[in-house]
Amino acid sequence: MIRWPAFLLAAYLLVVFQGTIGRLLVFNVPQVGPIGPDVVAMLAVFVAMFARNTTDVMLAAWVLGLGLDLTNSGGSGATVVGPMPIAYVLTAGVLHRVREAFFRELWLAQAILAFLFCLASHIVWLALQTLFRSLPDWSAFGWITLEIAISAVYTAILMPFVFAVLRKCRSWLLSASAGASMTF
Amino acid sequence: MRPTNTIVLMILLTASGITTLVGSGFSSRLRGLASLPLAPLGDGGMYLSASVRERMKELASEQVSQEQARELKNTCEELRDTVISLEAGNEELRRRLEELQALRPGGSEKPASRSFAPLEYDYELIPAHVIMADSLPYSHGRLVNPKRSGAIAPGMPVAARRLITDRLKNIPSGLPVINTMQLVGRIIESGPFTARMQLVTDRDFRSVPARIIRIIDPHNPRQVIINSAIQTLTEDINRPISVIVDGDGADGMTISDVPHDHQVRPGDRLATSGKDLALPAAIPIGTVTDVKGDPKNPSCVIIKVRPLMDLSAIRDVYIVWTPGSNPVAEKSGGDK
């Protein structure tokens, strides 16, 4: 079970972190663009690895995705709110199903899951934004996907460190029975 | 009957689908509401972020040796002496001019002042803090502006900042935003107590009228063509060059279609035109850092301009509102 008050507080703190102090982690890659980690996704991956119930995981992912969409507005126009919660829910649901195949204590497994989560959720988000904005510019899709992929690698590199911190807070975020169904 | 988690999830996903379909106007309002609870913590976070960035820049900057510091101090003192002597010379010339004017019939009247006096206009400065940047780092600006998709290029970074203001009512879009040094952006979205600013470096910050002010360097004079005649640029003929500025989507701005004959150089200054109704004053925008030939038009150059300060570390800004430019903002009070 997820302890919702603590989880909502953690989600709030991480969303604010990503838009403020987290900007210190963003850097420009020449010919590619700004690259930065998705710290919020790390919490989603952590919950997906430890929470027992798939619906709980998807609800938590919805909250985190909504937080990102509400704090991300695009350039001069505005992206729509909604695609990121959908993308996070779908990806977290799949991740919860496949987590049995990974040894969650292994840092490499944590990094791989974070990479896959970021890559999949952000590409779904990008596709939904492009689709529902009815833009003809699908040719740019590949270019942005490259940025998403590099950002996903960056997130994967940081995931083991954030995982170690989140693990210390596990009892606050998840009840004791959480993760009991895990098999290795 | 209490709804199960599955039903709640289905409702939430349906709501997400609806907000996706409804469009960006409704999403903007949602974001405006969401920024209120984010503001208190975001303000502190942005302060910390800006402080760390400033500190890192200080550490990375070149250290000045004691000898260099001594030389700089001497140069400063020499320059100060020069300024004092020039001021004394000016005073003498002014006194002589007054004497000459007194000799002329009706000479006691003061001459009409030249147009160097600052333009006086009624304006309001609305103080604001930068509280958040967009949460996703990579570019997606091309997704959001179908009306101008032709002007959008791949790799366009998003350059927007959420501001917190002291206004309960919406601030009109398009208002310029300045800090103590320069123009930093414009308002593109607002709600109660918050607004969103688009930075001058954003790729979609386009077609801003501005002026290049050429800096006269006596040691390195430049030859310009005026009325088909080659002349050395002096203060008397140094008129600002009207240009159109576009954000480059990275860390600066670009100006194209500037005739090569104007001899713009790195170090020249860029300022607002002063003719914009929303900002009828010349406010610095940046410094020319690079001048390159335009491959499409050999008689013109492409100019690269950098802001006077690192925009990623800005914190305190002012939204400039000229009364009469928008009746919505006129109702709110503010410092003058």
Side-chain angles (χ1 to χ4, degrees):
Chain A
M1 286 282 288
I2 294 172
R3 295 183 198 277
W4 286 104
F7 174 80
L8 291 173
L9 180 66
Y12 169 73
L13 292 175
L14 278 185
V15 166
V16 173
F17 175 89
Q18 186 145 316
T20 55
I21 305 166
R23 299 298 292 187
L24 291 169
L25 301 170
V26 176
F27 61 90
N28 267 301
V29 175
Q31 311 299 324
V32 178
I35 302 297
D38 186 352
V39 187
V40 176
M42 296 183 199
L43 179 60
V45 172
F46 180 82
V47 171
M49 288 168 88
F50 284 97
R52 189 173 190 173
N53 187 299
T54 309
T55 312
D56 274 0
V57 169
M58 291 167 92
L59 278 171
W62 186 89
V63 170
L64 294 170
L66 182 71
L68 279 184
D69 255 358
L70 287 174
T71 52
N72 188 70
S73 48
S76 61
T79 51
V80 288
V81 173
M84 194 58 105
I86 295 170
Y88 261 45
V89 165
L90 293 176
T91 321
V94 173
L95 186 65
H96 190 259
R97 297 280 180 194
V98 302
R99 67 179 186 177
E100 310 290 334
F102 293 88
F103 179 49
R104 65 188 174 192
E105 301 301 331
L106 193 67
W107 67 267
L108 189 61
Q110 297 158 10
I112 289 170
L113 288 175
F115 172 76
L116 293 174
F117 183 91
C118 272
L119 189 69
S121 61
H122 285 228
I123 287 176
V124 170
W125 174 82
L126 178 63
L128 288 174
Q129 288 282 4
T130 312
L131 191 68
F132 287 106
R133 295 291 297 163
S134 307
L135 288 179
D137 195 13
W138 279 91
S139 58
F141 196 88
W143 182 280
I144 307 178
T145 305
L146 175 66
E147 289 181 56
I148 288 174
I150 299 173
S151 288
V153 171
Y154 192 3
T155 307
I157 291 167
L158 295 182
M159 181 64 193
F161 302 101
V162 177
F163 187 91
V165 175
L166 288 172
R167 198 162 173 81
K168 302 268 185 200
C169 313
R170 187 184 157 189
S171 59
W172 295 353
L173 295 169
L174 305 163
S175 62
S177 61
S181 64
M182 289 284 289
T183 53
F184 305 122
Chain B
M1 195 180 78
R2 200 178 161 204
T4 62
N5 279 0
T6 311
I7 291 171
V8 172
L9 181 64
M10 294 313 292
I11 291 169
L12 294 177
L13 281 176
T14 308
S16 300
I18 290 168
T19 54
T20 304
L21 290 170
V22 164
S24 59
F26 181 67
S27 297
S28 289
R29 280 199 288 278
L30 280 180
R31 269 190 286 266
L33 289 173
S35 62
L36 288 175
L38 295 170
L41 210 61
D43 197 19
M46 212 63 195
Y47 172 75
L48 194 63
S49 175
S51 304
V52 170
R53 214 176 271 274
E54 284 292 316
R55 184 73 188 133
M56 282 162 65
K57 205 184 293 170
E58 277 175 26
L59 290 173
S61 63
E62 202 177 320
Q63 296 292 318
V64 179
S65 68
Q66 274 195 333
E67 195 178 336
Q68 285 172 317
R70 208 175 300 120
E71 278 176 22
L72 283 171
K73 194 181 169 190
N74 290 339
T75 311
C76 270
E77 281 171 4
E78 280 170 21
L79 286 171
R80 196 177 56 189
D81 292 344
T82 311
V83 168
I84 290 167
S85 65
L86 284 171
E87 277 176 357
N90 262 349
E91 188 58 37
E92 175 62 20
L93 287 170
R94 202 175 291 123
R95 193 183 57 74
R96 283 189 193 175
L97 185 65
E98 281 171 7
E99 283 173 6
L100 284 169
Q101 279 168 347
L103 292 173
R104 285 169 55 192
S108 57
E109 289 171 16
K110 284 195 172 180
S113 62
R114 292 181 68 181
S115 59
F116 295 135
L119 180 64
E120 285 186 11
Y121 68 99
D122 196 14
Y123 64 95
E124 185 180 342
L125 291 179
I126 302 170
H129 273 317
V130 175
I131 53 165
M132 261 188 122
D134 276 354
S135 53
L136 296 181
Y138 52 78
S139 61
H140 52 269
R142 77 201 74 166
L143 291 171
V144 297
N145 203 346
K147 287 177 188 170
R148 282 189 274 173
S149 58
I152 296 167
M156 178 195 336
V158 174
R161 297 286 185 269
R162 178 64 66 179
L163 305 176
I164 186 165
T165 67
D166 58 359
R167 302 304 147 109
L168 176 62
K169 290 179 180 172
N170 288 12
I171 290 166
S173 298
L175 293 188
V177 183
I178 60 171
N179 69 354
T180 51
M181 290 177 73
Q182 64 173 103
L183 177 78
V184 293
R186 65 181 165 204
I187 296 298
I188 52 170
E189 187 184 296
S190 79
F193 298 114
T194 62
R196 195 157 63 89
M197 167 181 67
Q198 179 187 34
L199 294 177
V200 289
T201 53
D202 188 276
R203 182 68 68 104
D204 224 18
F205 192 95
R206 300 185 74 81
S207 306
V208 179
R211 294 190 303 182
I212 294 175
I213 298 149
R214 290 167 291 187
I215 306 294
I216 306 254
D217 180 2
H219 300 296
N220 192 8
R222 58 183 117 188
Q223 305 292 320
V224 293
I225 299 174
I226 297 173
N227 298 332
S228 307
I230 298 174
Q231 296 182 42
T232 302
L233 190 70
T234 58
E235 287 291 355
D236 295 335
I237 56 171
N238 186 14
R239 296 210 174 87
I241 305 162
S242 294
V243 291
I244 297 293
V245 183
D246 299 321
D248 69 358
D251 54 358
M253 291 144 273
T254 53
I255 304 165
S256 39
D257 298 330
V258 178
H260 184 267
D261 297 343
H262 286 316
Q263 290 292 312
V264 176
R265 289 177 181 167
D268 290 344
R269 297 301 171 102
L270 181 73
T272 54
S273 68
K275 293 172 186 167
D276 188 350
L277 285 176
L279 189 63
I283 304 283
I285 303 176
T287 308
V288 173
T289 54
D290 192 27
V291 181
K292 279 183 193 167
D294 187 347
K296 291 176 188 167
N297 187 354
S299 64
C300 289
V301 291
I302 296 172
I303 296 166
K304 167 95 178 159
V305 178
R306 290 288 291 270
L308 298 175
M309 65 173 293
D310 179 13
L311 295 185
S312 63
I314 52 167
R315 271 275 299 161
D316 298 309
V317 293
Y318 295 99
I319 300 160
V320 184
W321 172 63
T322 311
S325 65
N326 194 304
V328 178
E330 207 164 16
K331 291 171 186 169
S332 58
D335 307 324
K336 289 223 174 175

